Amino acid sequence: MKVPAPDLPARVRIHEVGARDGLQNEKETVPTEVKAEFIHRLAAAGLSTIEATSFVHPKWVPQLADAETLFPLLDDIAEARKVSLPVLVPNERGLERALALGARSIAVFGSATETFAARNLNRTVDESLAMFEPVVARAKAEKVHVRGYLSMCFGDPWEGAVPVAQVVKVAKALMDLGCDELSLGDTIGVATPGHVRELLKALNDSGVPTSSIGVHFHDTYGQALSNTLAALQHGVTTVDASAGGLGGCPYAKSATGNLATEDLVWMLNGLGIETNVDLTALTATSAWLAEHLGRPSPSRTVRALTPPPSSPSHKE
Amino acid sequence: MKVPAPDLPARVRIHEVGARDGLQNEKETVPTEVKAEFIHRLAAAGLSTIEATSFVHPKWVPQLADAETLFPLLDDIAEARKVSLPVLVPNERGLERALALGARSIAVFGSATETFAARNLNRTVDESLAMFEPVVARAKAEKVHVRGYLSMCFGDPWEGAVPVAQVVKVAKALMDLGCDELSLGDTIGVATPGHVRELLKALNDSGVPTSSIGVHFHDTYGQALSNTLAALQHGVTTVDASAGGLGGCPYAKSATGNLATEDLVWMLNGLGIETNVDLTALTATSAWLAEHLGRPSPSRTVRALTPPPSSPSHKE
């Protein structure tokens, strides 16, 4: 039943991360054609922003080593459906590879904490910002949209709770470089709604408008959707989610499970918030991919809407 | 990190339903001593309201056929810790059995829809209310606390979306019988936050105060915690949850998983809302029971906080 809530936005843009953030942690190599079909099906289900792959060095993320082969297979959806296909670029070399293939939207991946910057980027936070500077400048010169991921915005497995002021400082620095939007990551899934609101308010107070902020919650402790609700109540209209709840972060302890796009869409549908996503088509896509990956989707909605492949009642 | 939100209650009472609502659907009989230990551990973890069992006819819920043996094993915690141990009673016969054992808190189980009343209670809604009338009257005469469960408050697998006015009518009737509190059940887990608020507001408008209302969400579509947040924002301070996410409803399609108490406590802890629950002790309890039941807890928090029993890194 659709029952809108007056304090919530009329429309939300889902930034679908399953094909990049979700698949990057799969140990078994997923064939390029499967990835291409996955992204085509996501687009057909109505998702308008689908992060496609990463132009990181294959040594670091072998699963996405096929970016050069995959990206051209998506040209049709970028054109026909006006779907945005952001790609992650770690540095100038990655940006050049992405630009050469015609990417029109990129993302850089920063950390709010020194420990995660050291472990994930092998740099200090300041050094990572210095590395992003020419990337963002070049992208902007090419009129390419730039998203700045900021991970460990709430807690860090090594540092514990992350002070809001520290997150605001790095977020501001990313915006000052020229990022068009930020994605605030709760990489280890520890956030709760009051913390979410406090960070959003502090960012606003420091001059970052809510319209430039996306949220990226992990469901490690089952908190992703209630944190999303708190963000929507603050006015956030960009929400990251992963089809079927694919993914996690291989470098962070306990960082299981992105918010499942289906669970998000269920809530948004119920609230009468427009997303343009066809939940049935999306669920079928995640069920299809789960079958390919050989394990059930962690999304509750996918499980509830998908009949078990060999239900006892169908056995002979 | 504790970051309170100003619009939320300072304290929430968790109505723990794992031992009754959770266990009643287990096919393998759980030994009475295990149930008693489970409830003792829940009490030791700080839960103050633990629904202990059901005095329904054993034919309907064989798992809880040991109510007469189990309940006396809990006398010590009722006395020493001032823990409330409500029991479900379906009718006058059940109430007599419960009263004979000294129960001081009971619950009746109603339905907001005719179809579920027919299937679960084998009665119309009006007939079920008539059946509860002498039960509630007798309990009140004995100064026993009475909770009225109301299931299918949002959606019904056969009837679809349930009109708010219909729920209000049955809820009012239960309050008029003399129930001290209501528990609004989203038995099939379809609710979303706007719907939750609308129902709570309609109940208030009809004269049922928020202080008499508990909420009982299922996580079938991953919505339980965000719906709980919406209820807390409305002022609700009684939340039903099931340790480890045990349970579901055997009579309703897709009715998997109660809200896991641990996922709820994680959010409440982060919001600085007092519950008096020790999350570490509670998680250990659910992990212990999961091992007994032979399958992992569906609670994300229990999974995140419990090391796998045979982690690869520990293999020789």
Side-chain angles (χ1 to χ4, degrees):
Chain A
M1 193 153 89
K2 269 194 185 21
V3 186
D7 57 342
L8 295 179
R11 169 173 289 278
V12 158
R13 184 173 62 83
I14 298 174
H15 185 108
E16 169 60 47
V17 301
R20 197 276 302 168
D21 191 12
L23 288 183
Q24 73 180 8
N25 301 314
E26 289 297 321
K27 278 179 195 144
E28 298 286 321
T29 303
V30 178
T32 307
E33 313 80 64
V34 172
K35 293 174 185 168
E37 182 173 348
F38 181 42
I39 294 169
H40 276 87
R41 290 182 67 154
L42 293 171
L47 288 153
S48 61
T49 307
I50 307 170
E51 198 161 303
T53 185
S54 170
F55 288 90
V56 67
H57 194 287
K59 179 172 119 188
W60 301 114
V61 186
Q63 180 63 259
L64 303 182
D66 61 351
E68 253 92 8
T69 319
L70 172 65
F71 200 73
L73 299 177
L74 310 174
D75 283 348
D76 57 326
I77 49 172
E79 284 164 24
R81 293 183 183 271
K82 297 191 170 45
V83 167
S84 173
L85 297 167
V87 293
L88 198 67
V89 301
N91 50 30
E92 287 186 273
R93 169 82 189 110
L95 177 65
E96 292 309 324
R97 290 167 61 204
L99 290 177
L101 292 169
R104 302 302 307 152
S105 180
I106 64 151
V108 295
F109 193 84
S111 168
T113 67
E114 291 294 348
T115 314
F116 190 64
R119 292 192 173 234
N120 192 42
L121 305 168
N122 204 23
R123 281 169 176 76
T124 66
V125 169
D126 282 345
E127 286 166 357
S128 68
L129 290 167
M131 174 173 71
F132 299 147
E133 189 173 1
V135 175
V136 179
R138 174 79 205 283
K140 298 311 296 173
E142 299 282 345
K143 296 193 177 8
V144 163
H145 185 271
V146 181
R147 154 176 269 225
Y149 277 107
L150 193 51
S151 51
M152 303 296 176
C153 287
F154 298 90
D156 174 293
W158 304 279
E159 300 184 18
V162 180
V164 165
Q166 180 178 332
V167 181
V168 169
K169 193 181 149 199
V170 188
K172 279 277 290 174
L174 281 168
M175 291 301 286
D176 289 345
L177 288 182
C179 287
D180 297 291
E181 70 174 28
L182 293 176
S183 170
L184 306 176
D186 180 19
T187 317
I188 57 169
V190 295
T192 44
H195 197 168
V196 171
R197 283 195 230 176
E198 186 169 83
L199 177 57
L200 291 169
K201 197 171 168 308
L203 283 165
N204 293 162
D205 289 347
S206 82
V208 181
T210 304
S211 58
S212 301
I213 300 173
V215 288
H216 184 111
F217 293 117
H218 279 230
D219 215 20
T220 319
Y221 297 88
Q223 309 295 311
L225 199 57
S226 49
N227 288 334
T228 300
L229 179 61
L232 297 176
Q233 289 173 338
H234 187 86
V236 166
T237 58
T238 299
V239 179
D240 294 9
S242 174
L246 283 171
C249 175
Y251 305 106
K253 183 190 153 218
S254 297
T256 54
N258 283 286
L259 170 61
T261 312
E262 291 84 356
D263 297 8
L264 171 64
V265 170
W266 185 280
M267 182 175 82
L268 297 177
N269 280 353
L271 288 164
I273 296 174
E274 286 294 322
T275 63
N276 199 38
V277 173
D278 175 341
L279 183 58
T280 306
L282 176 60
T283 301
T285 300
S286 293
W288 161 81
L289 189 69
E291 206 162 321
H292 182 89
L293 298 175
R295 59 174 193 279
S297 159
S299 161
R300 310 245 187 214
T301 301
V302 172
R303 291 184 182 203
L305 296 179
T306 308
S310 62
S311 145
S313 61
H314 293 108
K315 276 185 180 156
E316 289 181 278
Chain B
M1 193 153 89
K2 268 194 186 22
V3 186
D7 57 343
L8 295 179
R11 170 174 287 278
V12 158
R13 183 173 62 84
I14 298 175
H15 185 108
E16 169 60 47
V17 301
R20 196 277 302 169
D21 192 12
L23 288 183
Q24 73 179 7
N25 302 314
E26 289 296 322
K27 280 180 194 141
E28 298 285 322
T29 303
V30 179
T32 307
E33 314 79 66
V34 172
K35 293 175 186 168
E37 182 172 349
F38 181 42
I39 293 169
H40 276 88
R41 289 182 68 154
L42 292 171
L47 287 153
S48 62
T49 307
I50 307 171
E51 199 161 303
T53 186
S54 170
F55 288 91
V56 67
H57 193 286
K59 179 172 119 187
W60 300 115
V61 186
Q63 181 63 259
L64 303 182
D66 60 352
E68 253 91 8
T69 319
L70 172 65
F71 200 72
L73 299 177
L74 311 173
D75 283 350
D76 58 325
I77 49 171
E79 285 163 25
R81 294 184 182 271
K82 298 190 169 49
V83 168
S84 172
L85 298 167
V87 293
L88 198 68
V89 302
N91 50 31
E92 287 185 272
R93 168 81 188 109
L95 177 64
E96 293 309 324
R97 291 169 61 205
L99 290 177
L101 292 168
R104 302 302 306 152
S105 180
I106 65 151
V108 296
F109 192 84
S111 167
T113 68
E114 291 293 348
T115 314
F116 190 65
R119 292 190 172 237
N120 193 41
L121 305 168
N122 202 25
R123 279 168 177 77
T124 66
V125 169
D126 281 346
E127 285 166 357
S128 67
L129 290 167
M131 175 174 70
F132 299 147
E133 190 173 1
V135 174
V136 178
R138 174 79 206 283
K140 298 312 296 174
E142 299 282 346
K143 297 197 177 7
V144 162
H145 185 271
V146 181
R147 152 175 271 224
Y149 277 107
L150 193 51
S151 51
M152 303 296 175
C153 286
F154 299 91
D156 174 292
W158 303 281
E159 301 185 16
V162 180
V164 165
Q166 180 178 331
V167 181
V168 169
K169 193 180 149 199
V170 189
K172 278 277 291 175
L174 281 168
M175 291 301 285
D176 289 344
L177 288 183
C179 286
D180 297 291
E181 69 174 29
L182 294 176
S183 170
L184 306 175
D186 180 18
T187 318
I188 59 170
V190 296
T192 44
H195 197 168
V196 172
R197 283 195 230 177
E198 186 170 82
L199 177 56
L200 291 169
K201 195 170 170 308
L203 284 165
N204 294 160
D205 289 347
S206 82
V208 181
T210 303
S211 58
S212 301
I213 301 173
V215 289
H216 184 110
F217 293 117
H218 279 231
D219 215 20
T220 319
Y221 298 87
Q223 309 294 310
L225 199 57
S226 48
N227 288 334
T228 301
L229 180 60
L232 298 176
Q233 288 173 339
H234 187 86
V236 167
T237 57
T238 299
V239 180
D240 294 9
S242 174
L246 283 172
C249 175
Y251 304 106
K253 184 189 154 219
S254 296
T256 54
N258 285 286
L259 170 62
T261 312
E262 291 84 357
D263 298 7
L264 171 64
V265 170
W266 185 280
M267 183 175 82
L268 298 177
N269 279 353
L271 288 163
I273 296 174
E274 286 293 322
T275 62
N276 199 38
V277 173
D278 175 341
L279 183 58
T280 306
L282 177 61
T283 301
T285 299
S286 293
W288 161 81
L289 189 69
E291 204 162 320
H292 182 88
L293 299 174
R295 56 174 196 279
S297 160
S299 160
R300 310 246 187 213
T301 301
V302 172
R303 291 185 182 203
L305 295 179
T306 309
S310 61
S311 145
S313 61
H314 293 106
K315 277 185 180 156
E316 289 179 278

